């Protein structure tokens, strides 16, 4: 145990299967009344996750020092193997394009650099149990097409399905990977390039629903290596989505078996970490969680919803709301300034082989009418009347969160991008969520 912001801080290390290094949860002093569980998002770096926790807790403590102090509060920092999901290795803002590339008109001539593709393939292999050197070399060779490309796709599919072939997320990805893989093989066979799926170039309407920061447009790198990078990126996304759910479910079951009687439990997650802590809550009985804070969450905006989509199925985390697992506030921050969840999450989540159709058909990609939109972009949607309250946060302003409700808080004025979740204004929201549950 160490101390962060004057609070006892326990590290809880979890592997990809959700197993923890110790036999159970940390032992808490009898004086502890509230335990805060924190989960980071798509980082595999212990230092980066620790900085996230330190910055957020430091700001929470400075806002309400009389309440957030020892011995009443203890913190558990969850460290899980969440290697970096790059929202899109091949799509970049136009202003980042070098003049040598020929401007917008020349975007089709750009390909992903060898060293970047090789490094990403190595990282993916290390995190999924593949031979890093072999897989990286195979990814580079796959750009030439032929048998190497087929072997690359086969190895990738085996890596993604080896843990649990019946897992719903894995089945979804297998279908999407098959569609993308077939397109890749056909394209490489004729020496061409994959179609450029670009929602912005020359189409102002396509970005009208996004923030002003996107109005400059985007260009997509293209070429054989970019095609390989795109499929690897998709694979990373689904692997992180699956892993976050697995880790959270295991920890939730552990919480149900642990003796934490008399202690209030607060869950805080960022990015895919929001999926971790929501999966924890999904395993818990009614009124067992005191507060739940989802900071720019990377899961479906319909996750808490009822009768969603053409099949009219409840969202994956509907139980958290319908069975009132959280007695205090559920805080959901959201903004379209967060391109990671407002655009790239939606694109990665689209369970169709041809994303181009979506871009040309609608200006609402990633918006509230997009079935595959993210909760960190649009807040929690498709809930019953009386289950959700909508707010807007301003700098220096107070938001009155409501216990027993999902509180969607639009954070356009206080969050600039996906990782801007430790500032004082966001900390004020988290402190309010926990504080309301403590009164």
């Amino acid at each position: 145990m160490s101390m962060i912001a004057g609070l006892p801080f326990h590290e809880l290390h979890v592997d990809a299967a959700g197993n923890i290094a110790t036999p159970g949860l940390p032992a808490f002093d009898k004086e502890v009344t509230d335990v805060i569980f924190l989960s980071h998002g798509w980082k595999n770096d212990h230092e980066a996750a620790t900085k996230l926790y330190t910055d957020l807790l430091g700001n929470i403590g400075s806002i309400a020092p009389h309440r957030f102090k020892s011995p009443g509060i203890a913190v558990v920092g969850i460290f899980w193997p969440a290697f970096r999901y790059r929202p899109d290795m091949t799509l970049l803002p136009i202003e980042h394009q070098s003049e040598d590339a020929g401007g917008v008109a020349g975007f089709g001539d750009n390909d992903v650099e060898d060293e970047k593709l090789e490094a990403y393939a190595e990282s993916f292999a290390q995190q999924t149990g593949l031979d890093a050197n072999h897989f990286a070399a195979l990814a580079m060779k796959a750009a030439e097409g032929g048998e190497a490309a087929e072997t690359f796709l086969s190895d990738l599919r085996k890596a993604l399905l080896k843990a649990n072939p019946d897992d719903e997320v894995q089945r979804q990805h297998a279908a999407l990977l098959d569609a993308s893989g077939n397109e890749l093989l056909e394209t490489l066979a004729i020496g061409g390039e994959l179609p450029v799926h670009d929602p912005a170039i020359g189409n102002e309407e396509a970005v009208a629903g996004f923030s002003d920061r996107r109005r400059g447009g985007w260009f997509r790198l293209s070429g054989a290596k970019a095609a390989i990078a795109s499929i690897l990126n998709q694979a990373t996304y689904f692997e992180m989505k699956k892993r976050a759910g697995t880790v959270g479910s295991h920890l939730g079951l552990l919480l149900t078996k642990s003796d934490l009687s008399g202690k209030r439990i607060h869950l805080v997650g960022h990015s895919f970490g929001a999926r971790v802590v929501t999966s924890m809550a999904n395993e818990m009985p009614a009124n067992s969680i005191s507060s739940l804070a989802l900071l720019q969450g990377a899961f479906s905006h319909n996750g808490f919803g009822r009768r969603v989509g053409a099949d009219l199925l409840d969202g994956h985390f509907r139980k958290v709301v319908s069975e009132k697992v959280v007695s205090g506030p559920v805080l959901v921050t959201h903004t379209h300034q967060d391109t990671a969840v407002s655009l790239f999450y939606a694109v990665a989540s689209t369970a169709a082989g041809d994303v181009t159709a979506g871009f040309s058909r609608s200006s609402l990609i990633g918006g509230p009418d997009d079935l595959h939109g993210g909760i960190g972009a649009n807040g929690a949607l498709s809930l019953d009347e009386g289950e959700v309250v909508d707010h807007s946060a301003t700098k220096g302003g107070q938001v009155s969160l409501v216990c027993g409700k999902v509180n969607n808080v639009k954070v356009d004025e206080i969050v600039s991008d996906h990782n801007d979740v430790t500032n004082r204004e966001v900390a004020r929201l988290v402190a309010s969520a926990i504080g309301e549950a403590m009164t």
Side-chain angles (χ1 to χ4, degrees):
M1 184 190 75
S2 58
M3 300 293 288
I4 291 182
L7 299 173
F9 182 81
H10 304 265
E11 294 193 2
L12 186 64
H13 291 267
V14 187
D15 66 18
N19 302 308
I20 65 173
T22 56
L25 293 175
F28 302 107
D29 293 339
K30 62 181 181 180
E31 294 86 359
V32 172
T33 58
D34 294 81
V35 182
I36 303 172
F37 288 83
L38 303 175
S39 179
H40 60 85
W42 51 53
K43 294 181 183 295
N44 63 345
D45 189 315
H46 180 273
E47 181 180 356
T50 301
K51 186 178 187 308
L52 173 76
Y53 300 155
T54 301
D55 291 349
L56 182 60
L57 290 171
N59 280 325
I60 289 174
S62 67
I63 288 166
H66 61 290
R67 173 167 281 175
F68 292 90
K69 61 182 181 180
S70 181
I73 299 215
V75 181
V76 177
I78 301 169
F79 293 84
W80 59 288
F83 68 105
R84 192 170 186 83
Y85 159 63
R86 303 179 184 185
D88 195 319
M89 288 181 68
T90 67
L91 187 63
L92 300 172
I94 284 176
E95 59 265 25
H96 289 176
Q97 188 179 24
S98 67
E99 294 181 1
D100 294 339
V104 178
F107 72 88
D109 299 327
N110 299 317
D111 205 346
V112 170
E113 297 174 5
D114 287 0
E115 57 268 26
K116 289 185 178 179
L117 175 58
E118 187 173 20
Y120 195 42
E122 286 180 356
S123 175
F124 179 87
Q126 290 166 355
Q127 292 294 331
T128 51
L130 296 171
D131 183 296
N133 291 333
H134 171 75
F135 188 73
L138 185 59
M140 299 297 292
K141 186 70 174 175
E144 301 175 11
E147 185 177 344
E150 294 181 6
T151 303
F152 165 77
L153 290 171
S154 176
D155 284 7
L156 185 59
R157 201 177 194 281
K158 289 176 183 177
L160 293 169
L161 297 180
K162 66 179 181 181
N164 180 7
D166 295 325
D167 181 85
E168 180 182 2
V169 174
Q170 291 187 133
R171 291 200 307 272
Q172 291 174 353
H173 188 213
L176 188 55
L177 185 62
D178 286 344
S180 300
N182 289 336
E183 183 182 27
L184 171 68
L185 293 174
E186 291 172 5
T187 303
L188 293 178
I190 61 174
E193 296 177 342
L194 289 183
V196 176
H197 306 319
D198 189 348
I201 295 175
N203 185 357
E204 189 68 16
E205 289 185 2
V207 289
F210 303 143
S211 72
D212 289 338
R213 295 190 303 111
R214 299 189 195 177
R215 292 183 183 275
W218 301 77
F219 75 94
R220 181 180 284 280
L221 301 177
S222 63
K225 289 189 290 292
I228 299 297
S230 180
I231 286 181
L232 266 180
N233 213 66
Q234 181 193 103
T236 305
Y237 163 78
F238 273 89
E239 178 67 16
M240 288 302 93
K241 181 178 180 180
K242 172 175 69 74
R243 187 173 298 182
T246 299
V247 167
S249 293
H250 278 249
L251 291 179
L253 291 172
L254 180 63
L255 277 179
T256 62
K257 299 174 183 177
S258 301
D259 183 13
L260 295 174
S261 57
K263 303 186 191 304
R264 290 180 289 258
I265 305 300
H266 309 275
L267 306 179
V268 182
H270 168 234
S271 184
F272 274 119
R275 184 177 177 87
V276 170
V277 296
T278 307
S279 296
M280 291 172 67
N282 209 40
E283 300 292 345
M284 306 290 286
N287 296 311
S288 57
I289 302 297
S290 294
S291 70
L292 174 63
L294 309 178
L295 309 180
Q296 295 310 112
F299 65 85
S300 171
H301 57 201
N302 291 320
F304 293 132
R306 190 172 74 89
R307 297 174 65 81
V308 175
D311 296 329
L312 297 179
L313 299 175
D314 288 349
H316 187 69
F317 301 119
R318 176 64 188 165
K319 171 195 168 184
V320 174
V321 175
S322 63
E323 298 189 12
K324 301 185 183 303
V325 173
V326 184
S327 58
V330 176
L331 165 66
V332 177
T333 71
H334 65 99
T335 175
H336 272 269
Q337 295 190 130
D338 181 347
T339 57
V341 288
S342 60
L343 174 61
F344 299 124
Y345 173 88
V347 172
S349 296
T350 300
D354 186 6
V355 184
T356 311
F359 283 142
S360 62
R361 182 173 61 246
S362 172
S363 63
L364 297 173
I365 295 299
D369 292 331
D370 182 352
L371 181 62
H372 305 287
I375 196 170
N378 306 305
L381 305 180
S382 304
L383 282 81
D384 286 341
E385 185 177 355
E387 292 179 337
V388 62
V389 182
D390 293 318
H391 313 265
S392 290
T394 58
K395 290 185 177 180
Q398 294 289 334
V399 175
S400 297
L401 302 177
V402 182
C403 290
K405 307 282 187 183
V406 175
N407 293 260
N408 287 330
V409 182
K410 192 174 184 180
V411 292
D412 288 356
E413 293 190 29
I414 65 172
V415 170
S416 62
D417 60 41
H418 185 64
N419 294 312
D420 185 23
V421 295
T422 63
N423 63 59
R424 283 182 59 84
E425 302 298 337
V426 175
R428 194 186 313 278
L429 293 173
V430 178
S432 177
I434 296 175
E436 287 290 342
M438 292 169 64
T439 56

